[in-house]
Amino acid sequence: MAGIPFDQLEGSIWLDGKIVPWSEAKVHVLTHGLHYGSSVFEGQRAYGGEIFKLEEHTKRLHASAEVLGFTIPWSEEQINGACKQMLIENNLTDAYLRPVAWRGSEMMGISAQSNTIHLAIAAWEWPSYFSPEERLKGIRLDLAEYRRPDPKTAPFKSKAAGLYMICTISKHAAEAKGYSDALMLDWQGRVAEATGANVFFIKDGAIHTPIADCFLDGITRRTVIDLARARGIEVIERRIMPEEMEGFEQCFLTGSAAEVTPVSEIGPHSFVPGDITKLMIEDYMAAVQPAKEELLVAS
């Protein structure tokens, strides 16, 4: 798939309740979501034909839209069914899915009270967010110039497209320097997250992770916290200052796209993927795989 533009992939996309050929899933250039960022989305993975935590992702999609002041005119059940249908239509078992909702083109201006709300769902094969070589030795992160905004200035609980503008800027700047990604601080200069994934650190057998009070509390983040605690590993959610990274032994990122990815370097700080990181990778991959009983029924 490398090198093929996404608008030229083969397959079908669910668009406003209809299944259309991939190449025909288009919007007008005067769409409000394009000009003013009035768009929300989800990123979720399917393993063995089952979409991991689909219901949680769909609930968050609806909640994200409500935060931005609009209601998606399809129920959670309809969206869940459409996501599953996209796997079947595109003959996929291991895949990435992208539901996205946005305000249409009836009004062009800051106000868009009468605009139609649209919804599309696409599914395609997408390997790990980072290359296998990077993941094995741990990825390298730069320190981002931009920070996650004050929660009083942006709807951080929404997975809103507009909030990712500074993430793209930061990731591009990091890649230009030879890094895989960038670590972002929050508005008060504390450790927050990577550009599209939550961050965890390990020291003396305990896992430390920033409090998600100005950035998205990821579904994968919560999953890994639960897995660690089920193992009896202490997980501490707290404020983490940048200088503390000097004393951490291990580091990893989590996200639906990133899954669990070890980190070897953040700016001047180095980490070595160890037993706890490897255990979280193994436990997460075991958790996302469908139960054998489900696979037998599906076959």
Side-chain angles (χ1 to χ4, degrees):
M1 190 180 74
I4 303 176
F6 270 78
D7 62 349
Q8 294 178 23
L9 295 180
E10 298 290 334
S12 301
I13 289 177
W14 190 97
L15 177 61
D16 288 343
K18 299 178 181 179
I19 297 173
V20 301
W22 194 284
S23 61
E24 295 179 16
K26 299 178 180 180
V27 297
H28 196 272
V29 294
L30 295 182
T31 294
H32 195 274
L34 174 63
H35 290 257
Y36 297 101
S38 55
S39 171
V40 298
F41 68 98
E42 280 296 318
Q44 53 215 35
R45 282 190 182 274
Y47 300 87
E50 294 292 326
I51 303 169
F52 185 62
K53 297 205 170 179
L54 173 59
E55 291 77 13
E56 287 187 38
H57 279 286
T58 303
K59 284 182 183 295
R60 190 172 67 180
L61 183 70
H62 268 270
S64 292
E66 294 294 339
V67 171
L68 264 61
F70 65 84
T71 300
I72 298 174
W74 285 274
S75 69
E76 292 179 17
E77 291 75 17
Q78 287 174 311
I79 295 173
N80 291 340
C83 288
K84 294 174 183 177
Q85 188 177 13
M86 282 300 91
L87 290 181
I88 296 170
E89 288 287 334
N90 291 293
N91 195 28
L92 296 169
T93 54
D94 297 312
Y96 182 85
L97 293 96
R98 173 55 59 87
V100 56
W102 67 95
R103 287 190 174 99
S105 55
E106 286 80 4
M107 298 175 68
M108 180 47 60
I110 297 297
S111 178
Q113 302 284 6
S114 300
N115 287 32
T116 300
I117 305 303
H118 299 273
L119 175 68
I121 302 168
W124 64 90
E125 289 185 0
W126 195 15
S128 176
Y129 195 49
F130 302 103
S131 72
E133 295 78 14
E134 288 178 312
R135 293 190 71 194
L136 284 173
K137 63 183 180 181
I139 63 170
R140 299 172 61 244
L141 274 62
D142 191 17
L143 293 171
E145 175 184 355
Y146 284 100
R147 297 182 175 186
R148 300 312 305 168
D150 182 333
K152 295 180 181 178
T153 66
F156 76 94
K157 291 185 179 180
S158 173
K159 195 171 176 66
L163 294 177
Y164 285 81
M165 174 184 65
I166 57 175
C167 298
T168 296
I169 294 171
S170 299
K171 189 171 176 68
H172 283 185
E175 290 176 337
K177 298 177 185 178
Y179 293 93
S180 298
D181 203 351
L183 180 78
M184 306 184 78
L185 304 180
D186 71 11
W187 59 289
Q188 291 186 319
R190 304 169 302 201
V191 173
E193 60 174 351
T195 62
N198 294 124
V199 66
F200 290 79
F201 300 95
I202 299 168
K203 182 179 181 180
D204 297 331
I207 296 176
H208 302 252
T209 191
I211 298 171
D213 61 354
C214 67
F215 56 86
L216 202 66
D217 181 9
I219 291 173
T220 308
R221 175 185 184 272
R222 296 198 299 268
T223 299
V224 168
I225 288 174
D226 290 342
L227 290 171
R229 287 175 173 161
R231 283 275 187 181
I233 300 171
E234 183 181 14
V235 180
I236 305 166
E237 298 180 74
R238 65 177 181 87
R239 313 292 185 195
I240 299 175
M241 299 305 295
E243 56 268 25
E244 292 186 68
M245 290 191 286
E246 182 67 31
F248 290 123
E249 302 153 4
Q250 302 174 50
C251 177
F252 61 86
L253 303 181
T254 64
S256 293
E259 298 171 311
V260 179
T261 297
V263 174
S264 64
E265 190 178 312
I266 300 178
H269 309 293
S270 298
F271 312 93
V272 178
D275 291 343
I276 293 180
T277 297
K278 294 174 184 176
L279 190 60
M280 290 299 95
I281 293 172
E282 293 169 0
D283 283 0
Y284 182 73
M285 294 314 297
V288 300
Q289 297 299 327
K292 291 182 179 179
E293 292 79 6
E294 293 177 357
L295 290 175
L296 289 173
V297 171
S299 62

